[in-house]
Amino acid sequence: MKAQPAIALTIALTVPAAAFAAAKTKFWNLTAATITELRLAPAGSGAFGENLTAADKDGTVDHDETMKIAGVKTGRYDVKFVDADGRRCTVPNVEVKEGETFSLDENELPAACRK
């Protein structure tokens, strides 16, 4: 029985930290409305991926809500979103770090996107 904590500790120390970090990356919606679609593309590429809100329990990210995002690597991304009011916006060059929370803030959106 006393060997079990030592085994668990050994396993925990040998699992790469990146494996834990990737699962903890989050998006925080600080825009003025509920986001119904969120897509990322490597900055400047125009190659937007799948709608990330599809993985959320209700398929949207409300104002001041966070959403876990899996499989996103550290880098700079263009972020395209659609909100519940029908606003469509692309925010260029957003820094995303694995294991951390990134956000879109209404006050920091490009002028053409602000409400």
Side-chain angles (χ1 to χ4, degrees):
M1 287 284 207
K2 291 184 180 182
Q4 288 178 348
I7 291 170
L9 179 60
T10 301
I11 291 170
L13 293 175
T14 58
V15 175
F20 291 110
K24 295 180 183 178
T25 303
K26 292 183 181 180
F27 166 68
W28 186 12
N29 179 12
L30 295 175
T31 69
T34 297
I35 291 181
T36 58
E37 185 176 319
L38 182 75
R39 299 176 187 271
L40 302 180
S45 73
F48 288 94
E50 63 187 55
N51 178 11
L52 298 172
T53 64
D56 190 71
K57 63 185 172 195
D58 67 357
T60 66
V61 186
D62 296 327
H63 167 75
D64 201 26
E65 179 183 2
T66 61
M67 174 182 70
K68 291 180 184 177
I69 298 179
V72 177
K73 302 291 183 195
T74 296
R76 293 212 167 259
Y77 292 86
D78 294 338
V79 181
K80 184 186 293 188
F81 73 88
V82 177
D83 69 23
D85 296 335
R87 174 173 57 165
R88 296 175 178 277
C89 185
T90 300
V91 182
N93 207 28
V94 175
E95 184 176 17
V96 176
K97 293 182 181 178
E98 287 181 72
E100 294 186 15
T101 301
F102 73 98
S103 63
L104 294 179
D105 187 309
E106 188 69 32
N107 297 322
E108 296 174 359
L109 295 177
C113 294
R114 291 187 205 146
K115 285 193 164 198

